[in-house]
Amino acid sequence: MTQTALNIGTTLTKTENDVELRKVFKVFEGHTAVRGVDFNIRQGEFFSILGPSGCGKTTTLRLIAGFETPSAGEIMIRGKSMSQTPAYRRPVNTVFQSYALFNHLSVKDNIAFGLRIKRLGKAETEEKVAQALQLVKMEKFADRYPHQISGGQQQRVALARALVNRPTVLLLDEPLGALDLKLRKQMQMELSNLHRDLGVTFVMVTHDQEEAMSMSDRIAVMHEGRIEQIGSPQEIYERPQSPFVADFIGDTNLFQGRVEYNHDSSLVVKTDSGLKISVEQSKMSEKGRNGEIYGGASVVVSVRPEKVNLSLYSPDVSENCFEGRLMNVMYMGTHVHYQVNLLSGDRIMVRQPNTEGTLPNPDTPIYVYWAKHNCLALTESRS
């Protein structure tokens, strides 16, 4: 950790969690935007709230910030209830997608704004602003105005302005959404490095799955105001606990059906189209491992495109092998996307690394197959 980071960052206490939400609800004019959200955010963690538009993620962030008041439940920061603490007194700062910089103030004056509100002395203010400028590599632009710098540089100024106040928690509301793709990827790396150097707790709201996966220690996936699942990026991707999470995080093939039978090591699902898919017992959702998936139960089988193999000839496998016709081939540079229509009528996506081989022609007869440990049996999401 750099000396600058130590000076900018917040001194840690012995509290294990920086943020706790306890059965939080938020109702707007009869519409429940947040439904019983309950989670802890650990000290120094990069925690992302991920979900589609309208799922309640931004409302959740605004509740933590104090811009909204919970209809029920409690929000704790560093072990202290925030129920009577207004936004301006909470130990959090927010970086918005629009950056919300003051156009009539220079870069250094934007960063100094919060310190001057607190009536810090001139010398201390200048020292902290200099540290913040160094932290985000904007020293050379201190006297410029927001309209004179790029979007990525404006983002850095917004971060510096938020961090100079030494917040316990930095809240990030779609912080990279206004940037183009190449700059967004660059800023993802810079934001991740900044978090690592500072040790401050970051809470980010985003609808961008790649963004959340690449930067977060843990991700909370939201859907219709509820938390569907919380886990590390690897857990969320490899072990989704509902069809929604499987479908929202990355690409997947979903087959709806019912359990035909199960035994010690695996179960067989008969899909609505008549396919019989074998799934390893250890690859069931949490409900399935707890014994809630039984014969006749309705389930959804998820198979990631990169787990599916292709063969022009019938492979020597006895399970999860189906014939079809190759309908589409998309060359993506690093990999190739295939779309196969199975004889059952199902359509399946396949992703394979680019090995510089000859690509098959569309309408070619082809077989798809996968190992039973490479698919998941998921119970339906809550209504």
Side-chain angles (χ1 to χ4, degrees), residues 143-338:
D143 295 318
R144 294 195 187 180
Y145 288 82
H147 70 274
Q148 296 174 319
I149 58 178
S150 69
Q153 290 166 338
Q154 290 180 33
Q155 172 67 278
R156 290 190 182 96
V157 176
L159 283 166
R161 186 178 62 181
L163 290 167
V164 78
N165 283 309
R166 302 186 181 185
T168 296
V169 180
L170 183 67
L171 305 176
L172 303 154
D173 185 9
E174 301 275 6
L176 309 181
L179 305 178
D180 62 55
L181 179 61
K182 187 173 182 179
L183 185 55
R184 191 161 69 241
K185 288 183 177 296
Q186 178 186 336
M187 286 301 297
Q188 286 174 12
M189 186 67 70
E190 291 189 16
L191 198 57
S192 183
N193 291 339
L194 190 63
H195 170 260
R196 184 195 62 223
D197 291 342
L198 289 172
V200 173
T201 300
F202 281 21
V203 183
M204 180 176 72
V205 156
T206 182
H207 66 274
D208 188 313
Q209 303 144 37
E210 181 184 330
E211 195 167 280
M213 296 280 285
S214 64
M215 293 193 291
S216 309
D217 297 313
R218 284 191 305 153
I219 299 170
V221 182
M222 284 194 77
H223 178 47
E224 296 180 345
R226 297 185 178 92
I227 300 294
E228 286 274 330
Q229 187 175 348
I230 297 176
S232 69
Q234 184 176 5
E235 289 168 343
I236 294 288
Y237 187 82
E238 299 289 350
R239 304 285 316 191
Q241 292 300 309
S242 71
F244 173 82
V245 175
D247 193 35
F248 187 74
I249 304 295
D251 297 319
T252 196
N253 299 288
L254 298 176
F255 301 92
Q256 185 143 6
R258 293 189 176 275
V259 176
E260 191 165 75
Y261 63 87
N262 55 18
H263 47 78
D264 291 342
S265 62
S266 63
L267 59 82
V268 173
V269 176
K270 186 174 183 180
T271 71
D272 296 346
S273 61
L275 300 179
K276 289 189 176 182
I277 301 176
S278 295
V279 183
E280 201 172 83
Q281 284 275 14
S282 64
K283 294 297 181 177
M284 296 181 199
S285 67
E286 199 170 284
K287 286 186 177 181
R289 295 196 302 277
N290 291 336
E292 295 178 38
I293 292 182
Y294 48 85
S298 177
V299 297
V300 175
V301 176
S302 169
V303 191
R304 296 288 186 189
E306 67 272 17
K307 306 291 187 183
V308 182
N309 301 298
L310 288 176
S311 176
L312 294 173
Y313 308 99
S314 179
D316 186 20
V317 294
S318 59
E319 298 175 314
N320 302 337
C321 179
F322 309 103
E323 187 179 355
R325 293 293 182 272
L326 184 61
M327 298 305 297
N328 198 5
V329 180
M330 290 179 284
Y331 178 80
M332 307 298 289
T334 58
H335 55 277
V336 182
H337 278 188
Y338 300 92

Side-chain angles (χ1 to χ4, degrees), residues 57-86:
K57 59 186 184 296
T58 296
T59 300
T60 301
L61 196 78
R62 290 177 61 83
L63 287 164
I64 297 170
F67 301 142
E68 303 288 351
T69 303
S71 303
E74 189 173 29
I75 295 171
M76 313 281 289
I77 297 180
R78 283 282 170 91
K80 180 182 177 182
S81 173
M82 294 289 108
S83 59
Q84 303 299 319
T85 306

